[in-house]
Each structure stands twice: as structure tokens, then as C-alpha cells.
Amino acid sequence: MVIAVASGKGGTGKTTISTSLALVTPQVQFIDADVEEPNAHIFLQPDHLIQQSAALKIPSIDLSVCTRCGLCQEICEFNALAVLPESNKGPGNVFLFETLCHGCGACYHLCPENAITERAKEIGIVESGVFQNLQDENCEFIHGVLNLNESLTTPVIKDVKKQIDSQKTVIIDAPPGTSCPMIEAVEDSDYCILVTEPTPFGLHDLDLAVEVIRKMDIPHGVIVNRSQNRHNIITDYCGKRNIPILLQIPYSKRIAEGYSKGIPLVKIDPHYIKQFQELLVAIQNHYPKDISSAQNESLLYANPHFFDENAR
Amino acid sequence: MKQIIFISGKGGTGKTVLTASVASLPKSQVIADCDVDAANLHLLLKPVIRETHRFISGKEATIDRDVCRECGECISLCRYEAISPDFFIHSHKCEGCGLCYRICPEHAISMQEKVAGEWYISETGFGEFVHARLGIGADNSGKLVSKIKQKSKSLARDNKSDYLIIDGPPGIACPLIAAVSGVNLAVIVTEPTKSGIHDLERVLGITNHFRVDTGILINKSDLNPDYADKIVSLAEMNQIPIIGKIPYLPEVFEAVSQGELPISDNGTFELLIHKAWENITSLTDTKQVEAI
């Protein structure tokens, strides 16, 4: 089963949630798909890391075969090719602007002279390693890291997801936002946890994320992080749209401090171990779909006394 | 006209709140929100939209199922897996490269321009505001960011504004690169956490490469004094000035939770923002970046 953790807004707690969920999951495979700013390794501390190159196939033009016809420049939708025709000033040239190239293969397939071959251009790396979950099992950790000064995020995410072992429970830490990278990361997941915060920013971006997830037809639920009250703008919103609230994590300076040091939530406060175990079981067994009414007092999986217990 | 952008690398460090707070200080300015994927600045600035424009970017393919004889050439050549086994094109996967359109033996495929979002010019209580909304699942290639930059710059020039204040995107890829190009100062908003420092180092890799003058603003500075010191050392090593250190302030969180700007009655936060702005202008109003 593949569970993605996404948000919309950055900084709501995706990595906090995904790493703690992974730590309580037996036989888990953890995938950090936030390839621009991967952070999960800080919390899971994987080792035995093996690197693989994530590469784009970009064109290589054989100038001795190329007739400077200019077709490649004409068909390239990304303006990555410029053809200087042959003239009395010289034999002309073909320029490739690598950072603009999307690796689509159109020029390679369509060159009438077959003057184009392809070469691999590394745009990032995929690292795989091993981390220990709370049951002390060796579990698989994979993350992608986009090379600095590269612009295309999605191909690296694709490469990271190729490592998915569908025999295991897979947890994907998605990038923020609702555009291509997030969609690539979340696509084909069996369930998506949306993490948000009870602020106007959190609500606004949650709404965008829900729109995307609904279009992708992925069952989903919400976790409210840094919650101040059991009833808040997020619980109102979710009530109206029949989206289950899976968990609320009250704001806690202690948790913030532990997070700052790179300590996973379930290790800062072991009380959360049971919460995340229950969450995992619920997702695996039920795909929670509805909460029955906007006034539903007992949020589906939150301990009703949680806020009292945590008012320290 | 000086262009000042607030970026972060890591999401959630407080970039938008700080941009809004700086923007709310009276001055001759245009404000821009280049954080186009899940844009938030408008929630605090409460703009009145004056102009709406569609943003067309790239193309996408459509298959005419009446003409298609399902030979499968398109599926085998598409590098984005955008064509389903039943010859339906997934709009969000299609990169608009046109390869399928060109190789289809039946000419059953056509290319359409993609409406990737909208951008707006608005009025706020603090100056004109250029912002956008990226369409759901749109390609966040930085083109919309570039459009916002271009429009806000020309507006600032037309208005003879002293400043262009920009809320930048998170991350380190195309949108970030497009946003920081040509600015006078990039203020990196960071937090004293292990994740924050990790991401700060990555975004510095970009700003160094593109030779963008930077300053660092440490938000939630009292969360972890050791890490705050680490950031200060990192800044010193890279000769980057510290623009400010802002501790976690409950009144700021309260105000923002209500959708209000946290600047009012000369509270601690307001004073810190004033000080940060002084530091920013002292950097942009001289040619050189000096350590503070």
C-alpha cells in the first residue's frame, strides 16, 4: 500500500508526520520525494547510502551529418535549440541550451538526417539506504536530491518513485505546493494524508490541495498540526466537505524544540506512537471516507481526551 | 528602484508574513507575490483586483478519437506516460512537446495552448500589487514567476517607485531561479532548526552561483539558540549580513491566525520589522554588502 503525505502549504509538518508514521510501520519503505529540499534523512538517519544518477536524455548533434535544416529548432517547444545556418561566414552550428531541454526526444526522433543521438545528463541523484524503525527492523529509505542549478524537478521524482516496492507499505513525503512536482509524487498512491495548520494560509492551501487530490481520485484525510483548539477553521472546512480529520497535534514548544534538533515526533513524545499506529491501521483497513456530520464531536481517530492530556 | 525579495528554501519559515509586514511599512513601492504555487500574500494584503489576465503557457495534446486508429506509436514514444492505454491524454502529465502530434500517422493529434493560470494587478492599502494563481496541476516552470517579475518591475518603473517588494517561492528550482534574477537583495528567511539550516545551505548554493546579494533573517530565533548561532557562523563564513533575528511571538501568530497583519501599536514585532527594514535599505542603498 502506498501512502502519500502532502500539504499545499510548505512547512505544515509533512516530514514530521511522514517520518513518524514510517517509524511505527513494520516493513516500511520510506520515499522522500521532496527533491528540491529533502529533509527526511535528518530525522530517519539512514546509512549505507548508495547513489544512482537521475538523468535526462538530451540531444547530441553530429554536426558532420547535420544539414542545418533547422527543423529541430522549429519543433522544439522549449526553445532549447538554435540553428545557425551555413553561410559564407562559416559552416554554421547548432546550439543546445541544456537548462531549457525537457528531454522529450522530439528532435532525436524527427531529425530527417538522423544526425541526433542522445546522451544522459545528470540532473540529480537518487540515494537509497537503510534506517531503523521503532521495532528495530532494517527498513528501506530512498530520497531524491535535485542538483543545484537544475530546473526540472519532476524527472528526479519519477526516478525516485521507480524504486517503489509495492510489496511493502510505502510512505511518500511529497513536496509542498499543488503543481507538477506534488502531483508526480502523489500520483498512484492508495491514500493521501494532507497536513495543514489552523491558519488562513493553511486553510487556503489545503483547499487547493484537496481540489487536486479529488481530481486524482485518491482517498484522503487531514492532519491538523500545531492545533490550538479542537474546533478550528480546518475542522469546520473538513466537516462541510466530509473529509476525515485523522489526527490533531496540539502546538507544543517542546515538540518544536525537538523538531529543531532533528528528533522525530514519536521520539520527542512517545505518546504519539500509539496515535500513529492507530492511524496506520485505520488507513490500511478502512480508507476512512466520511465523517457523519459537521458537528461530529469525536474526531475519527483522535483521542477525545488528547487536548486535556497535552495541555502541559 | 530597488528590488528586494524574500526567499526561504524551506517552506514555512515565515517568508510571507515577513514580506507582508515589510510591505506594510509606508514607502513608495510596488508589491509582488512570486510564490505562485499556493500563493498566500493576498490573504494578508487583502487586495482589490483591478486587472485579471489569463496566463497561457505551453501546449497540450488532444487525440481525436474518431480519427485515431489506436496504432500506439504515440504511447510508445511519449516520455511522460501522458497517454493512457485507451488513448486518453492526461493533461497534467502532458509536457506539450508535440512529439505525438508530429508522428501520428493519422494526424489524429492536435496541440492547444494551455491556460496555466491567471495573474492580477490589484490595489492594496500599501501600494499596487502584482500576483497570480497557478492553475491546479499546472507546470510550475517559472514562466508565471517571470511574468509577475516583469509586470511588477515595469509597474514600479512607471510609478517611479523606490522599491519592489517580492514574496518569493520556496525551493531551489526554476521558480526560485526566475524570481531572484536581477534583484538587488535576496533576504533568506530561515529558522534555527536542522531542516532549516540544511535548506538554507542549498538555497545559498543558488544565490552564490547567480551572484545575488543576500541577507539572512532568522525567524523563530529563540527556538534553538545553538542553531541560531550556527546560522550566524554560517553567515559570517559566507560574508552574508544578518538582517534580523525575530523570536517566536505569540501575538504575531494570533494576528496571522485571524488573517491580520501583525503590525500595530509599536509592539516588539513592529520594532523588529522596522530594524530589519533599516538593515535592508542600508544594504541596498550602498553598492556593497557590508557585514552587520
Side-chain angles (χ1 to χ4, degrees), chain B residues 169-202:
Chain B
I172 53 150
C174 234
L176 187 271
I177 296 171
V180 296
S181 94
V183 302
N184 297 93
L185 183 69
V187 179
I188 306 175
V189 180
T190 187
E191 57 178 42
T193 64
K194 234 171 157 182
S195 305
I197 292 179
H198 175 270
D199 296 356
L200 169 61
E201 284 170 339
R202 278 173 68 76

Side-chain angles (χ1 to χ4, degrees), chain B residues 2-4 6 18-19 21-23 25-29 162-165 185 187 217 243-244 270-285:
Chain B
K2 306 288 181 184
Q3 298 177 46
I4 297 146
F6 292 82
L18 289 166
T19 308
S21 302
V22 164
L25 301 177
K27 55 183 144 355
S28 141
Q29 67 186 353
D162 291 335
Y163 299 101
L164 173 57
I165 307 290
L185 183 69
V187 179
L217 199 157
I243 301 291
E270 180 155 8
L271 293 171
L272 289 167
I273 292 295
H274 273 285
K275 196 146 165 260
W277 179 245
E278 268 171 40
N279 290 339
I280 287 171
T281 51
S282 77
L283 286 173
T284 56
D285 293 351

